[in-house]
């Protein structure tokens, strides 16, 4: 099924922005625990 | 699609029975937050002992509800997409085996003879009916896979050039993983534990039992999650008013689950003795592989929802997030799925922490762990189960949903509860608060020398979250049973929302067949688990005798003396 | 993969980069700070008797035995700055052993020996909490490591 000609080409820029924030959150949570671990060694 | 009365009845029973049990399952969730916050300083309340209730909570919510639902939803997806009903006799045999298993285990737990928690680690011993019940529930749930596989193979013969529907890939992957992983726990239960619990053997290798359990236990969480993933990919875009951004991404996700779900179980044993650091590191590394589906899904679903939002006129990078049908009572499944996804952001990311080898030292067996998993199993999994239970029931029974406006806000109320609850637990966990503990007796009892004031705010937060969750849960019970007891007003059909695809990628044979993935799955499992099982059989010393939770004196019977 | 949407491909690449970052960080912590999961030892009966061995003024060994519902030894005295090897086993069911402020987090299993090493740089009372359900007395199960300056 082709995308209809009357639909504009869709680029998921919002999803990319969301995904960037998602990876950022991943790093914040992970390194939060990581540095807590290092502080306790 | 019209379905036979037989299929309709088995699906309805498989949905309703666990929802009824959920009343007790959710009640004891609330009770735990009450004991743990130190509101009660007792070992039991209303004749249910704390650890007995905790066992019921875990078994009902995480084993019975999830398994029955997965089977019912599996029947529905296979019948709906392949247009063929599963074999009548075998669906009922499967049903009765699962019910018999659940009844046996329930009796043992309610009689106070199986307060061993849903992980039932030896040398704590439960009544033999608990183990037998678990085995029957599992064997009953195996049966549908073979039936569905035969239907699929026949469908493929008539549809050589057509892509297998994504929901069918999801259901078959889910049950293949389930079948393989449950072989280990069935062995543990039937060969290691049952004879030992009955006194025919005297000692059990605890590490081996734990290793077999976790071969099962991690894949278990994907067995819970995959029905929700099927809904995210094949239904959510449609419900939002959009299209699925990439069908191929869904296939990559499901086949990744097929190969990575099982060979990672040792990450639950990072703190165990006798398993080498090398294997722990290797399986921790493989666990990152199982983050693939989650990252792909986060992007693909966001893209699909963004498309939906733009169809409704949204502009800018984040405008689409606002223009989605969050509170539309006619599309309540959207509400259940989106709130699950929001929770899953936090649940999934905290899961990555848990898998990260040495980071596990900070969180293992602390309250962080239930904080994490209530944002996964009590997040997207639970919400998908209850939303779809209402949906599938109302469609196949031809009923209208009772109190539709209440129905659509339940997932949001539940999610607010979970976020507060899990924040309290995770914070507590990071300051040493243990899980699986009746804190109210000692650690949260001001009159006790073990009192820990720093756990007061954390357990209070969990209590507040738990109360909100309980209210939302009871609202769901009301909506479900209100629907169940209402009169039929619609045509009784099996229907599921079906999303169109935006990028309709050409059929790629590799992502439309199982054999290569099954081979990869087998190879990785052998590589990952052979050393672990060798460790578990060679490093430990003597096996352990059985103990019941109430006494440090091991059980010695005439047979074992 | 050529047929996969270019954004999806980038998603996979970012995951790969994130995972590489995490693995590097874990290995760095292991090399530089000795942050690791517990050590794997084959079973030896010698570790089943509770004991505190002083190897020298800053090196100790503790043979910790968990049972329903206490740890033995229940109070362990070590001087500030000492390095302690904890060897852990259980006399009965599975117990947990958690010194939260020191990343010492192990399971005590009958017939198995677990080991971790802790350096106590600050004085104080460190609780050892059982965090695995072990029966009706589980919530009573806590021991202490008391770290103080050595007598002059």
């Amino acid at each position: 099924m082709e995308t209809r000609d009357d639909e504009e080409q869709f680029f998921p820029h919002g999803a990319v922005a969301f995904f960037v924030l998602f990876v950022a959150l991943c790093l914040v949570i992970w390194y939060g625990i990581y540095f807590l671990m290092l502080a306790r060694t | 699609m019209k379905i036979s009365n037989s299929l309709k009845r088995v699906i309805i029973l498989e949905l309703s029975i666990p929802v009824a049990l959920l009343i007790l399952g959710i009640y004891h969730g609330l009770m735990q937050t009450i004991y743990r916050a130190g509101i009660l300083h007792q070992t039991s309340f209303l004749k249910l002992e704390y650890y007995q209730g905790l066992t019921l909570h875990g078994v009902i919510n995480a084993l019975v509800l999830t398994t029955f639902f997965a089977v019912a939803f599996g029947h529905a997806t296979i019948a709906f997409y392949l247009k063929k009903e599963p074999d009548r006799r075998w669906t009922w045999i499967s049903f009765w085996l699962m019910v018999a298993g659940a009844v046996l285990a329930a009796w043992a737990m309610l009689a106070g003879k199986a307060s061993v928690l849903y992980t039932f680690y030896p040398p704590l011993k439960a009544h033999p009916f608990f183990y037998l019940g678990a085995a029957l529930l599992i064997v009953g749930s195996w049966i549908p896979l073979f039936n569905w596989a035969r239907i699929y193979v026949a469908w493929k013969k008539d549809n050589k050039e057509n892509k297998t529907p994504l929901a069918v890939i999801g259901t078959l992957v889910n049950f293949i993983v389930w079948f393989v992983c449950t072989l280990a726990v069935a062995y543990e239960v039937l060969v290691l534990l049952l004879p030992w619990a009955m006194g025919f053997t005297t000692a059990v290798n605890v590490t081996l039992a734990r290793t077999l359990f976790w071969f099962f236990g991690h894949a278990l969480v994907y067995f819970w999650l995959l029905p929700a993933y099927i809904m995210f990919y094949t239904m959510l875009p449609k419900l939002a008013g959009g299209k699925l951004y990439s069908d191929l991404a869904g296939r990559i996700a499901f086949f990744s689950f097929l190969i990575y779900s099982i060979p990672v179980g040792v990450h639950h044993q990072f703190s165990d003795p006798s398993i080498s650091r090398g294997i722990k590191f290797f399986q921790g590394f493989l666990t990152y592989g199982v983050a693939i589906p989650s990252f792909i899904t986060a992007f693909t679903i966001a893209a699909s929802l963004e498309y939906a939002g733009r169809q409704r006129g949204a502009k800018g990078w984040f405008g689409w997030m606002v223009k989605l049908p969050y509170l539309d009572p006619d599309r309540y499944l959207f509400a259940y799925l989106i709130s699950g996804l929001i929770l899953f952001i936090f649940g999934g990311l905290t899961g990555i922490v848990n898998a990260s080898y040495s980071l596990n030292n900070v969180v293992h067996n602390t309250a962080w762990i239930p904080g994490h998993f209530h944002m996964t199993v009590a997040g997207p999994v639970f919400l998908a189960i209850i939303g779809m239970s209402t949906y599938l029931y109302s469609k196949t029974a031809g009923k209208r949903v009772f109190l539709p406006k209440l129905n659509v806000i339940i997932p949001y109320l539940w999610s607010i509860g979970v976020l507060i609850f899990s924040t309290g637990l995770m914070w507590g966990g990071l300051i040493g608060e243990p899980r699986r503990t009746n804190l109210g007796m000692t650690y949260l009892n001001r009159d006790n020398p073990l009192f820990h004031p720093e756990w007061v705010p954390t357990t209070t937060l969990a209590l507040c979250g738990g109360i909100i969750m309980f209210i939302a849960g009871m609202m769901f019970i009301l909506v479900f049973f209100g629907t169940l007891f209402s009169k039929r007003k619609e045509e009784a059909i099996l229907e599921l929302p079906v999303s169109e695809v935006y990028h309709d990628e050409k059929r790629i044979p590799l992502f439309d067949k199982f054999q290569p993935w099954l081979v990869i799955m087998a190879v990785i499992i052998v590589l990952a688990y052979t050393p672990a099982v060798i460790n578990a059989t060679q490093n430990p010393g003597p096996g352990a005798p059985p103990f019941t939770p109430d006494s440090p004196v091991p059980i010695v019977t005439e047979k074992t003396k | 993969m050529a047929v996969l949407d270019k954004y999806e491909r980038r998603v996979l690449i970012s995951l790969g980069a994130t995972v590489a970052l995490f693995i590097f960080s874990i290995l760095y912590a292991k090399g530089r700070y000795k942050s690791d999961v517990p050590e794997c030892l084959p079973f030896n009966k010698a570790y089943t008797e509770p004991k505190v061995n002083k190897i020298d003024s800053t090196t100790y060994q503790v043979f910790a035995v968990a049972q329903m519902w206490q740890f033995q030894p229940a109070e362990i005295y070590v001087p500030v700055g000492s390095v302690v090897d904890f060897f852990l086993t259980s006399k009965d069911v599975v117990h947990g052993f958690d010194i939260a402020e020191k990343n010492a987090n192990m399971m005590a299993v009958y017939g198995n020996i677990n080991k971790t090493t802790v350096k106590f740089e600050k004085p104080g009372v460190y609780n050892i909490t059982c965090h695995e359900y072990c029966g009706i007395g589980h919530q009573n199960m806590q021991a202490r490591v008391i770290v103080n300056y050595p007598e002059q």
Side-chain angles (χ1 to χ4, degrees):
Chain A
M1 190 201 61
E2 308 286 322
T3 54
R4 298 197 300 271
D5 286 344
D6 54 303
E7 277 174 10
E8 286 166 27
Q9 264 290 351
F10 169 64
F11 296 108
H13 296 144
V16 170
F18 162 77
F19 186 74
V20 167
L21 289 179
F22 174 75
V23 173
L25 181 63
C26 178
L27 295 171
V28 164
I29 293 174
W30 201 92
Y31 281 100
I33 305 295
Y34 180 75
F35 286 110
L36 185 59
M37 175 182 83
L38 292 187
R40 290 175 174 183
T41 49
Chain B
M1 168 184 180
K2 287 211 70 85
I3 54 173
S4 66
N5 278 338
S6 169
L7 183 61
K8 172 178 141 181
R9 215 169 283 139
V10 82
I11 288 178
I12 287 176
L13 282 170
E14 284 170 351
L15 293 174
S16 320
I17 292 173
V19 170
L21 290 174
L22 205 51
I23 299 171
L24 182 55
I26 295 183
Y27 163 75
H28 218 274
L30 173 67
M31 283 314 300
Q32 276 175 70
T33 59
I34 293 175
Y35 283 99
R36 285 177 65 93
I39 309 286
L40 291 178
H41 306 301
Q42 355 187 135
T43 55
S44 68
F45 180 73
L46 291 182
K47 297 228 185 287
L48 260 186
E49 192 261 331
Y50 180 88
Y51 297 107
Q52 177 189 26
L54 183 52
T55 306
L56 282 161
H57 178 73
V59 173
I60 291 174
N61 296 5
L63 291 175
V64 177
L65 172 77
T66 50
T67 305
F68 272 79
F69 176 80
V71 169
F73 185 65
H75 286 322
T77 51
I78 295 290
F80 180 75
Y81 278 95
L82 301 185
K83 301 282 175 261
K84 180 132 189 348
E85 291 194 12
D87 177 273
R88 169 183 304 218
R89 191 172 43 149
W90 285 110
T91 50
W92 283 105
I93 292 176
S94 147
F95 170 77
W96 284 113
L97 281 174
M98 295 198 296
V99 167
V103 165
L104 278 178
W107 175 83
M109 292 185 286
L110 289 169
K113 296 179 193 289
S115 298
V116 292
L117 309 192
Y118 93 103
T119 44
F120 52 87
Y121 295 138
L124 265 180
K125 174 193 99 71
H127 189 281
F129 279 1
F130 179 80
Y131 301 112
L132 203 49
L136 286 174
L137 174 64
I138 287 171
V139 171
S141 70
W142 284 344
I143 291 172
L145 170 65
F146 298 99
N147 194 206
W148 299 336
R150 240 196 332 204
I151 295 174
Y152 170 67
V153 167
W155 181 89
K156 275 289 256 188
K157 282 210 185 75
D158 297 333
N159 288 274
K160 285 199 180 36
E161 295 307 307
N162 296 341
K163 277 201 259 186
T164 308
L166 193 55
V168 171
I169 303 254
T171 294
L172 292 174
V173 163
N174 200 24
F175 275 78
I176 291 170
V177 167
W178 178 244
F179 175 67
V180 173
C181 79
T182 48
L183 288 172
V185 77
Y187 181 91
E188 184 208 354
V189 166
L190 294 173
V191 177
L192 292 185
L193 297 182
L194 194 51
W196 169 83
M198 291 169 70
F200 295 119
T201 56
T202 55
V204 75
N205 178 337
V206 177
T207 302
L208 180 61
R210 289 170 68 84
T211 305
L212 290 169
F213 181 85
W214 286 112
F215 181 99
F216 153 78
H218 193 77
L220 172 69
V221 320
Y222 298 116
F223 180 66
W224 297 337
L225 201 49
L226 254 57
Y229 266 67
I230 292 172
M231 296 182 219
F232 295 151
Y233 277 94
T234 69
M235 302 181 195
L236 183 63
K238 171 74 172 220
L239 293 162
K243 296 184 184 171
L244 175 61
Y245 184 72
S246 167
D247 170 86
L248 179 58
R251 282 158 203 275
I252 294 175
F254 286 125
F255 287 119
S256 299
F257 278 124
L258 186 65
I259 61 176
Y260 289 118
S261 294
I262 297 174
V264 299
V266 166
H267 70 237
H268 292 265
Q269 296 179 271
F270 281 147
S271 302
D272 270 28
S274 297
I275 310 276
S276 74
R277 282 169 160 169
I279 269 300
K280 290 176 179 174
F281 188 85
F282 179 50
Q283 290 207 11
F285 169 71
L286 284 175
T287 310
Y288 288 140
V290 89
I292 293 174
S294 301
F295 273 52
I296 291 181
T297 302
F299 177 77
T300 306
I301 300 305
S304 310
L305 293 178
E306 182 186 355
Y307 180 83
R310 292 199 190 286
Q311 294 299 97
R312 293 151 174 268
K315 302 262 174 272
W317 277 352
F318 297 109
W320 54 277
M321 290 184 177
V322 181
K323 286 207 178 290
L324 294 171
Y326 295 102
L327 292 174
D328 183 348
D330 293 328
R331 286 198 244 202
Y332 59 89
L333 267 182
F334 178 82
Y336 283 87
L337 297 177
I338 196 70
S339 19
L341 275 171
I342 293 170
L343 287 176
F344 195 44
I345 292 173
F346 301 96
L349 295 183
T350 51
I352 293 180
V353 165
N354 301 345
S356 294
Y357 195 66
S358 39
L359 267 65
N360 189 256
N361 292 335
V362 178
V363 299
H364 175 68
N365 265 5
T366 67
W368 166 281
I369 300 295
H372 151 73
F373 69 65
H374 281 80
M375 297 191 294
T376 49
V377 68
V381 171
F382 180 73
L383 289 170
I385 290 179
I386 63 173
M388 180 54 70
S389 291
T390 300
Y391 183 89
L392 258 185
Y393 172 76
S394 63
K395 291 288 174 196
T396 53
K399 306 224 177 133
R400 298 217 185 114
V401 174
F402 181 65
L403 298 180
K405 291 214 185 93
L406 183 66
N407 186 31
V408 79
I409 63 145
I410 288 170
Y412 300 113
L413 185 63
W414 175 266
S415 302
I416 292 169
V418 170
L419 285 169
I420 297 172
F421 173 73
S422 286
T423 300
L425 283 176
M426 290 191 297
W427 174 15
L430 293 179
I431 54 175
E433 187 185 312
R435 67 181 291 203
R436 298 186 149 179
T437 310
N438 184 351
L439 300 176
M441 285 292 289
T442 53
Y443 299 117
L444 263 291
N445 183 347
R446 280 163 212 275
D447 296 330
N448 189 287
L450 295 182
F451 178 61
H452 273 255
E454 68 271 25
W455 297 340
V456 170
T458 59
T459 51
T460 307
L461 262 181
L463 172 67
C464 295
I467 291 172
I468 297 172
M469 288 162 75
F470 179 75
I471 293 172
M474 292 303 114
M475 286 178 180
F476 162 69
I477 299 291
L478 176 64
V479 165
F480 186 85
F481 283 104
T483 306
L484 194 125
F485 290 119
S486 69
K487 285 211 183 331
R488 194 177 122 179
K489 289 229 177 88
E490 312 271 333
E491 201 194 352
I493 46 165
L494 172 62
E495 183 185 83
L496 297 171
V498 180
S499 300
E500 288 167 60
V501 190
Y502 176 76
H503 278 326
D504 195 27
E505 301 106 344
K506 205 162 50 89
R507 176 178 175 264
I508 301 174
L510 176 62
F511 290 99
D512 201 45
K513 63 160 91 132
F514 288 84
Q515 296 92 320
W517 301 101
L518 291 172
V519 170
I520 298 173
M521 171 177 97
V523 167
I524 302 181
I525 289 176
V526 167
L527 283 176
Y529 261 98
T530 309
V533 171
I534 292 176
N535 282 163
T537 39
Q538 287 189 339
N539 287 331
F547 295 83
T548 49
D550 54 346
S551 169
V553 178
I555 298 176
V556 172
T557 62
E558 274 308 313
K559 297 190 197 92
T560 63
K561 256 202 276 226
Chain C
M1 282 303 138
V3 87
L4 183 63
D5 175 82
K6 76 169 178 201
Y7 293 103
E8 303 276 4
R9 249 179 288 150
R10 290 177 195 169
V11 164
L12 289 174
I13 293 170
S14 6
L15 175 63
T18 309
V19 164
L21 200 55
F22 289 165
I23 292 180
F24 173 75
S25 304
I26 290 169
L27 290 173
Y28 177 77
K30 183 160 143 58
R32 173 91 170 71
Y33 296 96
K34 307 240 188 311
S35 270
D36 210 331
V37 299
E39 233 177 283
C40 173
L41 300 176
F43 181 72
N44 188 319
K45 218 158 56 101
Y47 297 111
T48 60
E49 284 306 313
K51 211 176 277 185
V52 177
N53 291 335
K54 178 172 166 176
I55 308 296
D56 62 46
S57 60
T58 55
T59 315
Y60 285 76
Q61 284 180 344
V62 173
F63 293 7
V65 177
Q67 62 185 85
M68 290 154 101
W69 292 284
Q70 56 179 287
F71 291 100
Q72 285 186 332
E75 286 200 340
I76 299 158
Y77 291 85
V78 293
V80 172
S82 50
V83 171
V84 183
D85 284 337
F86 288 96
F87 297 84
L88 178 68
T89 188
S90 168
K91 272 171 81 166
D92 40 49
V93 299
V94 176
H95 298 273
F97 176 105
D98 185 25
I99 308 178
E101 312 94 311
K102 298 306 291 178
N103 297 332
N105 196 331
M106 301 193 281
M107 303 306 279
V109 179
Y110 187 108
N112 291 255
I113 309 299
N114 218 342
K115 180 187 173 202
T116 195
T117 304
V118 180
K119 180 157 188 201
F120 289 98
E121 273 160 350
K122 295 209 193 80
V125 175
Y126 295 79
N127 289 316
I128 303 173
T129 309
C130 176
H131 56 17
E132 181 58 73
Y133 170 61
C134 53
I136 57 178
H138 167 55
Q139 58 276 346
N140 295 306
M141 202 167 151
Q142 196 176 57
R144 287 124 56 96
V145 180
I146 296 147
V147 180
N148 213 337
Y149 293 101
E151 307 272 318
Q152 294 309 91

